[in-house]
Amino acid sequence: MSTQPTVGKPVSRLEGKLKVTGAAKYAAEYDVPGLLHGYVVNSTITKGKIVRVDTGRAKAVNGVIEVITHQNRPKLAWFDLQYTDMDAPPGVVFKPLYDAEIKYNGQPVALVVATDFETARYAATLVSFEYEEEPFETCLDNNLEKARDAKKGFATILRPPPPKPTGDFEGAFKNAPVKVESEYWHGVEHHNPIELFATTTVYEGDGKLTIYDKTQGTINNQVFVANVFGLHFKDVRILAPFVGGAFGSGLRPQYQLFLCVMAALLLKRNVRVVLDRKQMFSFSHRPQSVQRTRFSTDENGKLTGLNHSAVSETSQFEDYTEQVVAWSHKLYPAPNTLFEYKLVPLDVHTPIDMRAPGGVTAMHAIECTMDQLAYKLNLDPLEFRLRNYAETDPSTQKPFTSKALRECYQKGAEKFGWQKRNPTPGSTIRRNKLVGYGMATGMWDAYQFPARMEAMITKEGKLVLNNAVTDIGTGTLTVMSQIAADELGLPLEDVTFNYGDSKKPFSMFQGGSSVTASTGVAIVVAAKTLKKKLFKKAAGIKNSPIAGASEEDVIFKDGNIYLRNDPTAYVSFKDIISLNNGRAIETTNMGAPDVLNLRKYSKAAHSATFVEVEVDKDLKIITVTRAVTAVAAGKIINPKTARSQILGSMVWGISKALHEETIMDEKLGKYINTNLGEYHIPVHADIHELDVIFADEKDTLINELGVKGVGEIGLVAVPAAIANAVYHATGTRITKLPIHFDELL
Amino acid sequence: MIGISLNVNQHQYHIQVSPWVSLLDALRDHLKLTGTKKGCDHGQCGACTVLCDDRRILSCLTLAVMKNGANITTIEGISGENELHPLQQSFIDHDAFQCGYCTPGQICSAVSLLKEGKAKTREEVKELMSGNLCRCGANMGIIDAIMEVKERGLYE
Amino acid sequence: MNNFDYIRASDIDDALASLNTHDNGSFIAGGTNLIDLWKYNLLHPDLLIDINHLPGHHAIEEIEEGGVRLSAFLTNADTAYHPLIEERYPLLSKAILAGASAQIRNMATNGGNLLQRTRCYYFYDPDAPCNKRNPGSGCSALNGYNRIHAILGASENCIAVFPSDMCVALAALDAVVNVTGINGERNIRFEDFHRLPGDTPELDNNLKRGEIITSIDLPAKGFAKNYSYLKLRDRHSYAFALVSVATGMELDGDIIKEARIALGGVAHRPWRLKEAESFLQGKRADEHSFAAAADMMLEGAKGFKYNSFKIELAKKAIVRNGLMALDPHSQLPGAQPSA
């Protein structure tokens, strides 16, 4: 009996070897016979109509098979609803090549299909459009007076409108002895995974398609393709075994999938469409937001009023919303609260969730406001937060399923050396550098969605699991295999987790830090059933060594069922299957949140980030020299991959605070830095000492595994902590992100 | 079409390519060596890094015809048949990747970095690896992985 | 992304002669900017003449009067790491290593570095008005997002900046560019090589069509004792300069005998001001002197909506880099400000 539990162990990624040898295949890398290559043409105007199309020159190029525009596209589904997907906001979904109308700059207007990539790319430059341009609005700041409430719809379930006011905020704020009012702003960001969005569609004949796609939701895209093109669900198979990053951009079917499938069906050929980097800026982004906070406290630093309002952009056709303004009251108690959230529709594409959507936006405003209050109160920022620590969720009065934020504060502060902080801004100098310490709190929801798991013991006595979920780099394969191995008492190498395939049982898209809870719980449920079945078979064997035992009397280990009290008495999985005439023992089960019970609780992951920055005393160049993030997210299945999730999030936080932004030229109505040279994400030289701590947070209520997810919680606190550290270093409060160092000059 | 010969991973290929085919597209589309990645196609991300005559270059910014006769090493040729290059193992050990898409470029770049011998300190390694972006934010793991191989002298 | 013919030139004469066989032929060496621009559909060559394999053109050699000649065909990396350059022209070495990435420096050549185009967003967008790309169409940057643009020497027609780091050092070193053309050879002083935009922003430099840069001469004076290159940008590496400074000095004790200061990221060419350098002669090498020189260099600088900060930043950078040049070891990887 040698198999040791793997949960809680830093297991290296099971697909690691495939990734470091280049053997892992991504959506654009499947070699299929007679493959045609599609290249997308995008609109060069922001709003208006196509009045003339000339595809003649492109079609005349040797090797061009077809040029598809709105004029010659095949018949499509009529109803907007058929274009919808699990993550579609209220509104009317954008339909590529549907008609002559241009809704945003960079909208796809044609697909050139050719026998090779280079020919398609060249011919794409020869397709010409004549437009009738209309005036457009792409600037949030200029259109704030148009802010209105968001429409409600299916997707609103996960993104409820702002909570109702409590108490009398205006009265409380007016009379408060200590208060801060400020405005926060951040620009548009694009996900920019390094893998370009791509789809390879294999035309199987008989209306059947096998599609290698870059997505976070194989079934979401399967349903979309079937609905839009009038195919049977079972005839559409989406495969996404490797996804080169997505960060939210793959939550909805993107236009390369649509165009690729359209071309494959029209031409009855295998087709690949890969977007270029500029086109990666032509769909889906984190919306620009303007936020206003007004927080007040009494003389002792107890919060008395919280007012948070936010205005975000959306497209003219869908009302994308985020949960921005509700967070402060989930984090801090206050008797008087007022929250508002509005949208301004602009002539841009609909935003989409981008890592920690809403949360990282909100926490920047909330935690910088808290920092300002701490200075006003002459309190240590950490002490100020502890004075306003919420043991139960102040916004619902419900207890948390677990909340080890206090431990995050303590362990994070200790590891960081927070107590060495000199409270006076600009007081710590290290040769040419001003040194600043900053901290912030983070919070993220703990989602769990239903998922179905197929599990079977094969004739080799090994466990095979099937689920449609993706692994976008999060470590899902490894984590799921660990959970399954431990449930059945098998060594990791005896577990095969098949994923990234819409043919497998249901999983939601991979978003919101939900997968470990959702898919993981489904494994637990399926494993339990499987064990029951195995036990029943084993006990029923003639002269079974475990005959007469009850299920409680046995343990599952090393591919055997042992009597707990007599390890010499056992039946192996292999024997069970062989006595089952070689047929695998299998089960398919649904794992789902215990909604009834969870209704009594609030559930969230928490974090605390401590940051040190150096700001050059003359030139104001900012460096995040070190940072510690302490995370309370329930049980950590794999501390190695979980740590990487937090580290990656911290890099995202540095990027959001100091580097990345997509710049809209409001006169041209388009983004202008649509490349990785001018859209700055951190390089290795920007990243210094980062540290991660996981608080010991046991949660027996949240789900069978006690997990909360770690994909986003590591990001939410970081930008605010950096902005607070920059203030501490310099005495200058910058409320815009990213912080341009020159604003400190 | 121009006939060229490329020695890729010590295997001689003779292919016909149009002059405008990048070395990257030749590797991926013609030789089916898809380990070399396309992330920006403009020399801004480093995912397409390969070794050309033992030096790291960006295969997206050069034409296949310009490399006629050159020796190219891609991620598929970094290690021997059945073993991993120390850097590959170190990347796994340090969890120096998440989605894995920038990884081949990071590793090829690091192989060259160690051979060049110009980076002495961790800060210098970071600077000389800064042409390889990682959007998952595995930067620390990547530098840790390289430093371990460098400090233990596990490379030729 | 048009199609084109390709040939490998056997020697310079072959290369020059080939140019006339097509309407829009172009030489290609490293190709790091040319291929980039072609893929953005901004350049449309019908012939690429590969000049990477010309015989006898890949050296760095000492020339008369104590100078050094850099082959134009040598890569940036081979130049930066060459013992002669590291030892005698460390300012050039540092500047080269502050630019691009290790991979690009392994590809890009010295000649090509001089010829790279601006990184103005609008120049790179084939659908945006841009006088440099499409003369007469207007300058989108003038009233657009101009954070990365010029504060010195710009015109109403173009406020783009020249993005090279290497050239900032070459300007400071008073390099000479040697070119060969159908009409023979000529030498161009570095300060005469790149142009200001004026009314013809489409012209970046004074190289004529049908000329090839063959080498770059560095005069004997390399300022190897007191030099520094400082580059300020929106991330710590692999980004173009908002402001960069190359400083070389010859000192007598703490008195400046000779000073060279060139700015990058602020104009359509590397920016020097001889008056400021003369002013420094005989002055103490201190913050005060550098600040006075900086004020002179930035006199007449004009900021736009998003880049006015560059004026103050450039002044402070000149001062800091002057101090760093007193202690060249204070320079950090990536030409970052001294700790």
Side-chain angles (χ1 to χ4, degrees):
Chain A
M1 289 211 270
S2 56
T3 302
Q4 297 299 313
T6 64
V7 168
K9 301 272 158 43
V11 176
S12 292
R13 276 167 214 274
L14 300 180
E15 81 288 10
K17 194 173 170 187
L18 295 175
K19 284 178 174 171
V20 299
T21 56
K25 276 198 188 299
Y26 298 79
E29 297 173 350
Y30 288 85
D31 185 27
V32 288
L35 184 67
L36 298 177
H37 298 257
Y39 206 90
V40 181
V41 183
N42 303 75
S43 82
T44 55
I45 66 155
T46 305
K47 192 177 182 183
K49 277 188 177 53
I50 302 168
V51 292
R52 201 183 60 82
V53 186
D54 180 5
T55 58
R57 283 176 68 209
K59 279 185 175 163
V61 174
N62 195 17
V64 171
I65 305 289
E66 185 56 279
V67 179
I68 311 172
T69 69
H70 69 285
Q71 292 181 340
N72 65 338
R73 63 161 173 79
K75 223 174 102 184
L76 292 166
W78 284 13
F79 300 109
D80 291 329
L81 212 58
Q82 286 171 278
Y83 289 82
T84 203
D85 62 89
M86 293 181 201
D87 199 33
V92 176
V93 179
F94 168 69
K95 303 185 283 290
L97 309 194
Y98 197 75
D99 54 25
E101 201 185 331
I102 300 299
K103 295 179 156 84
Y104 71 98
N105 207 302
Q107 171 179 326
V109 288
L111 183 76
V112 178
V113 185
T115 49
D116 64 286
F117 165 71
E118 289 82 4
T119 301
R121 183 177 62 179
Y122 167 49
T125 66
L126 303 178
V127 182
S128 69
F129 287 89
E130 217 172 89
Y131 298 101
E132 208 170 83
E133 288 193 63
E134 290 167 29
F136 53 81
E137 293 294 342
T138 58
C139 179
L140 177 63
D141 297 342
N142 294 346
N143 288 282
L144 289 173
E145 77 285 353
K146 290 181 191 154
R148 57 157 174 78
D149 288 333
K151 291 178 204 136
K152 295 189 181 95
F154 176 72
T156 318
I157 300 167
L158 290 176
R159 306 150 197 271
K164 301 230 160 11
T166 57
D168 166 25
F169 173 79
E170 295 297 348
F173 190 76
K174 201 173 150 200
N175 300 317
V178 183
K179 53 189 156 186
V180 161
E181 177 171 358
S182 48
E183 197 171 281
Y184 296 86
W185 184 99
H186 76 85
V188 169
E189 297 163 23
H190 280 81
H191 308 67
N192 276 310
I194 302 294
E195 183 199 12
L196 299 163
F197 264 74
T199 305
T200 304
T201 302
V202 184
Y203 186 81
E204 311 271 15
D206 296 335
K208 284 194 172 63
L209 300 175
T210 302
I211 301 166
Y212 299 95
D213 190 32
K214 180 177 177 69
T215 178
Q216 291 170 257
T218 55
I219 290 180
N220 193 26
N221 286 9
Q222 175 199 26
V223 171
F224 171 82
V225 168
N227 277 341
V228 170
F229 296 101
L231 304 168
H232 294 294
F233 290 129
K234 64 174 173 50
D235 291 341
V236 179
R237 184 178 188 189
I238 306 271
L239 291 162
F242 290 99
V243 179
F247 316 108
S249 58
L251 288 171
R252 302 184 66 186
Q254 298 300 359
Y255 68 74
Q256 94 291 343
L257 169 69
F258 176 93
L259 296 174
C260 185
V261 170
M262 176 189 269
L265 289 171
L266 177 73
L267 303 170
K268 301 187 171 23
R269 295 278 300 270
N270 302 331
V271 181
R272 175 186 299 157
V273 177
V274 185
L275 299 189
D276 63 29
R277 183 51 63 180
K278 186 175 178 181
Q279 289 164 342
M280 294 289 284
F281 291 81
S282 65
F283 60 91
S284 302
H285 57 277
R286 190 195 297 280
Q288 188 185 338
S289 300
V290 180
Q291 302 176 73
R292 185 166 165 240
T293 56
R294 290 184 295 163
F295 289 7
S296 60
T297 74
D298 63 18
E299 287 89 350
N300 299 320
K302 279 270 190 195
L303 284 161
T304 54
L306 297 171
N307 169 212
H308 188 179
S309 52
V311 181
S312 291
E313 48 149 357
T314 189
S315 67
Q316 301 283 8
F317 40 96
E318 287 171 312
D319 271 14
Y320 170 82
T321 60
E322 291 174 330
Q323 180 79 268
V324 179
V325 296
W327 294 102
S328 62
H329 202 215
K330 289 175 194 281
L331 203 46
Y332 304 116
N336 308 289
T337 64
L338 179 61
F339 303 113
E340 294 159 293
Y341 179 74
K342 307 257 186 217
L343 293 180
V344 173
L346 296 174
D347 296 303
V348 296
H349 194 272
T350 309
I352 200 171
D353 285 347
M354 180 166 166
R355 205 168 198 174
V360 68
T361 298
M363 226 50 87
H364 168 225
I366 295 165
E367 288 298 285
C368 288
T369 309
M370 289 295 282
D371 201 57
Q372 294 193 56
L373 278 170
Y375 282 102
K376 275 211 166 171
L377 289 156
N378 210 11
L379 276 179
D380 181 280
L382 178 54
E383 167 59 23
F384 176 46
R385 281 159 179 92
L386 288 169
R387 278 192 197 182
N388 288 281
Y389 193 85
E391 298 291 350
T392 55
D393 181 347
S395 67
T396 60
Q397 308 299 329
K398 292 175 188 172
F400 288 99
T401 59
S402 62
K403 180 178 175 179
L405 175 59
R406 201 183 292 278
E407 191 188 328
C408 291
Y409 285 143
Q410 282 160 357
K411 285 195 168 161
E414 192 182 303
K415 184 100 191 222
F416 180 82
W418 181 255
Q419 74 284 357
K420 282 183 267 171
R421 173 179 177 272
N422 180 333
T424 313
S427 62
T428 309
I429 295 165
R430 198 180 279 160
R431 288 181 292 175
N432 286 324
K433 312 293 177 186
L434 305 168
V435 180
Y437 284 7
M439 62 86 55
T441 315
M443 189 177 191
W444 187 248
D445 215 319
Y447 294 111
Q448 183 190 349
F449 302 119
R452 269 172 85 78
M453 186 64 55
E454 183 178 38
M456 65 183 79
I457 295 293
T458 65
K459 64 175 189 292
E460 292 81 20
K462 299 189 175 181
L463 174 64
V464 174
L465 299 154
N466 292 315
N467 181 259
V469 75
T470 51
D471 181 346
I472 56 174
T474 42
T476 306
L477 163 65
T478 313
V479 164
M480 293 308 144
S481 302
Q482 285 176 264
I483 293 169
D486 282 18
E487 286 296 324
L488 268 294
L490 287 168
L492 259 184
E493 51 273 23
D494 286 354
V495 178
T496 304
F497 180 68
N498 296 309
Y499 63 102
D501 179 354
S502 66
K503 268 222 165 6
K504 310 285 183 220
F506 177 83
S507 167
M508 281 285 276
F509 40 68
Q510 184 167 28
S513 299
S514 66
V515 162
T516 304
S518 309
T519 313
V521 165
I523 289 177
V524 174
V525 175
K528 285 207 166 85
T529 313
L530 199 56
K531 287 202 282 191
K532 260 194 204 329
K533 286 189 168 185
L534 287 165
F535 172 74
K536 222 172 138 188
K537 286 273 178 204
I541 294 169
K542 211 189 214 175
N543 300 324
S544 170
I546 62 166
S550 77
E551 228 189 306
E552 289 72 49
D553 299 333
V554 299
I555 51 169
F556 288 70
K557 213 167 173 63
D558 300 330
N560 301 312
I561 307 178
Y562 291 93
L563 275 185
R564 199 180 288 273
N565 299 327
D566 178 9
T568 62
Y570 67 91
V571 183
S572 76
F573 292 180
K574 271 194 224 168
D575 291 344
I576 298 171
I577 306 298
S578 118
L579 290 162
N580 196 36
N581 299 321
R583 287 195 311 271
I585 305 282
E586 51 185 89
T587 180
T588 302
N589 299 78
M590 182 70 101
D594 182 356
V595 180
L596 277 183
N597 190 45
L598 285 174
R599 212 175 269 172
K600 295 179 241 159
Y601 299 94
S602 270
K603 49 192 180 55
H606 291 86
S607 66
T609 293
F610 299 83
V611 165
E612 179 192 277
V613 298
E614 282 184 359
V615 179
D616 191 276
K617 67 178 171 49
D618 310 312
L619 305 163
K620 308 302 180 192
I621 295 282
I622 304 164
T623 307
V624 176
T625 42
R626 56 195 188 89
V628 176
T629 293
V631 171
K635 186 197 278 181
I636 299 303
I637 305 290
N638 184 332
K640 189 169 189 172
T641 53
R643 177 174 175 269
S644 291
Q645 283 287 290
I646 305 303
L647 287 174
S649 288
M650 290 172 78
V651 172
W652 270 60
I654 292 169
S655 190
K656 184 173 174 60
L658 301 177
H659 303 291
E660 69 183 274
E661 61 179 328
T662 317
I663 298 149
M664 169 63 76
D665 183 301
E666 55 196 77
K667 290 186 194 68
L668 299 174
K670 65 165 131 182
Y671 303 122
I672 54 168
N673 58 332
T674 52
N675 60 72
L676 293 178
E678 298 299 337
Y679 184 91
H680 297 122
I681 64 169
V683 295
H684 292 305
D686 292 301
I687 304 304
H688 302 284
E689 271 177 63
L690 305 179
D691 213 338
V692 179
I693 297 168
F694 289 110
D696 186 17
E697 189 180 71
K698 287 195 179 55
D699 193 326
T700 54
L701 297 165
I702 192 147
N703 53 47
E704 285 85 336
L705 284 164
V707 300
K708 291 178 176 174
V710 292
E712 275 137 317
I713 185 61
L715 166 55
V716 276
V718 179
I722 292 172
N724 292 341
V726 167
Y727 174 76
H728 182 236
T730 62
T732 305
R733 174 80 55 188
I734 307 287
T735 57
K736 280 174 96 169
L737 296 185
I739 296 172
H740 291 159
F741 69 92
D742 47 87
E743 287 162 41
L744 299 167
L745 279 169
Chain B
M1 292 281 206
I2 296 179
I4 61 166
S5 66
L6 292 173
N7 185 313
V8 184
N9 304 331
Q10 311 199 356
H11 186 283
Q12 201 70 31
Y13 293 89
H14 301 279
I15 52 169
Q16 295 282 324
V17 289
S18 300
W20 49 85
V21 174
S22 70
L23 176 61
L24 173 61
D25 290 326
L27 291 170
R28 284 169 66 85
D29 291 351
H30 293 250
L31 305 184
K32 314 293 181 196
L33 291 169
T34 54
T36 306
K37 303 302 183 194
K38 184 185 280 188
C40 71
D41 217 15
H42 284 277
Q44 297 162 343
C45 76
C48 69
T49 302
V50 298
L51 306 187
C52 176
D53 298 326
D54 265 351
R55 295 166 145 228
R56 48 178 160 165
I57 64 159
L58 298 176
S59 59
C60 76
L61 285 189
T62 195
L63 302 170
V65 290
M66 291 170 69
K67 297 301 170 194
N68 188 7
N71 291 305
I72 309 289
T73 306
T74 70
I75 189 68
E76 290 94 343
I78 289 294
S79 62
E81 274 291 290
N82 294 313
E83 62 197 26
L84 293 177
H85 185 283
L87 274 166
Q88 290 173 315
Q89 187 58 51
S90 193
F91 266 59
I92 293 174
D93 296 344
H94 289 273
D95 209 28
F97 52 88
Q98 293 180 32
C99 80
Y101 198 79
C102 75
T103 313
Q106 302 275 2
I107 293 176
C108 285
S109 192
V111 167
S112 185
L113 170 105
L114 295 179
K115 277 189 187 157
E116 289 157 13
K118 301 295 180 190
K120 309 287 180 213
T121 64
R122 187 179 174 95
E123 290 310 303
E124 285 168 351
V125 168
K126 283 188 203 168
E127 167 60 25
L128 289 176
M129 282 298 295
S130 280
N132 292 84
L133 302 183
C134 171
R135 183 54 155 166
C136 294
N139 308 71
M140 267 225 335
I142 292 167
I143 302 303
D144 286 346
I146 298 169
M147 290 306 290
E148 182 180 332
V149 175
K150 180 176 149 56
E151 279 161 11
R152 292 173 56 193
L154 297 173
Y155 57 96
E156 53 278 49
Chain C
M1 280 160 281
N2 59 294
N3 300 343
F4 48 77
D5 293 330
Y6 167 88
I7 56 162
R8 237 180 221 199
S10 54
D11 56 33
I12 292 254
D13 291 339
D14 181 35
L16 291 170
S18 303
L19 198 60
N20 292 325
T21 63
H22 286 61
D23 295 336
N24 201 18
S26 178
F27 303 122
I28 184 165
T32 52
N33 197 199
L34 194 159
I35 299 291
D36 172 42
L37 291 164
W38 164 74
K39 281 188 192 172
Y40 278 124
N41 205 21
L42 302 172
L43 286 183
H44 310 96
D46 54 3
L47 168 70
L48 288 184
I49 304 158
D50 188 342
I51 52 172
N52 281 298
H53 307 273
L54 308 184
H57 277 286
H58 294 85
I60 287 184
E61 56 194 20
E62 295 188 73
I63 50 173
E64 63 276 17
E65 290 167 30
V68 163
R69 175 165 294 167
L70 316 174
S71 162
F73 306 97
L74 202 64
T75 66
N76 290 173
D78 281 342
T79 307
Y81 291 127
H82 195 283
L84 262 182
I85 303 304
E86 283 185 326
E87 195 182 308
R88 291 181 47 192
Y89 304 94
L91 176 61
L92 177 62
S93 183
K94 291 275 180 197
I96 292 174
L97 294 177
S101 68
Q103 290 95 315
I104 293 176
R105 296 192 295 265
N106 274 342
M107 306 170 76
T109 61
N110 294 335
N113 191 297
L114 269 60
L115 301 177
Q116 60 184 303
R117 308 300 309 268
T118 182
R119 294 283 164 171
C120 172
Y121 316 115
Y122 302 99
F123 173 74
Y124 261 83
D125 177 354
D127 305 308
C130 169
N131 287 324
K132 183 179 274 300
R133 181 170 28 74
N134 184 13
S137 62
C139 174
S140 298
L142 205 54
N143 296 305
Y145 189 74
N146 40 36
R147 175 172 177 79
I148 61 176
H149 291 78
I151 49 168
L152 287 162
S155 77
E156 283 287 291
N157 301 305
C158 181
I159 59 170
V161 301
F162 179 59
S164 168
D165 291 296
M166 179 184 188
C167 290
V168 182
L170 289 175
L173 292 169
D174 269 342
V176 175
V177 184
N178 304 316
V179 307
T180 295
I182 302 157
N183 301 321
E185 299 183 355
R186 64 183 182 119
N187 323 105
I188 309 169
R189 294 189 309 170
F190 207 80
E191 58 183 288
D192 298 329
F193 188 82
H194 293 103
R195 302 176 70 262
L196 289 180
D199 295 332
T200 51
E202 67 275 20
L203 300 175
D204 292 347
N205 54 60
N206 291 314
L207 192 72
K208 294 183 187 131
R209 179 154 178 84
E211 285 183 329
I212 294 181
I213 303 172
T214 53
S215 60
I216 299 150
D217 288 351
L218 303 175
K221 220 172 252 179
F223 305 97
K225 264 200 191 139
N226 292 104
Y227 69 93
S228 181
Y229 190 73
L230 174 63
K231 185 174 182 183
L232 306 171
R233 38 185 161 172
D234 278 326
R235 61 184 175 193
H236 284 100
S237 185
Y238 206 17
F240 293 96
L242 289 165
V243 168
S244 71
V245 197
T247 303
M249 283 183 295
E250 219 174 61
L251 300 178
D252 185 0
D254 56 359
I255 301 299
I256 300 168
K257 274 173 73 186
E258 185 175 357
R260 303 273 178 85
I261 304 174
L263 289 171
V266 295
H268 201 258
R269 68 177 194 207
W271 193 263
R272 267 180 76 182
L273 189 74
K274 298 270 165 73
E275 291 87 332
E277 294 173 3
S278 317
F279 162 82
L280 284 172
Q281 263 180 36
K283 302 281 190 312
R284 291 174 75 90
D286 62 13
E287 201 167 332
H288 182 75
S289 308
F290 299 138
D295 284 340
M296 292 172 78
M297 283 190 78
L298 273 298
E299 210 186 292
K302 178 178 182 294
F304 298 90
K305 186 172 177 190
Y306 294 96
N307 75 347
S308 298
F309 71 89
K310 280 191 175 187
I311 299 171
E312 193 57 25
L313 186 65
K315 287 183 186 176
K316 291 187 165 166
I318 291 167
V319 174
R320 173 65 73 81
N321 202 45
L323 298 173
M324 286 166 68
L326 301 178
D327 176 18
H329 296 293
S330 63
Q331 293 177 79
L332 297 171
Q336 292 177 42
S338 51

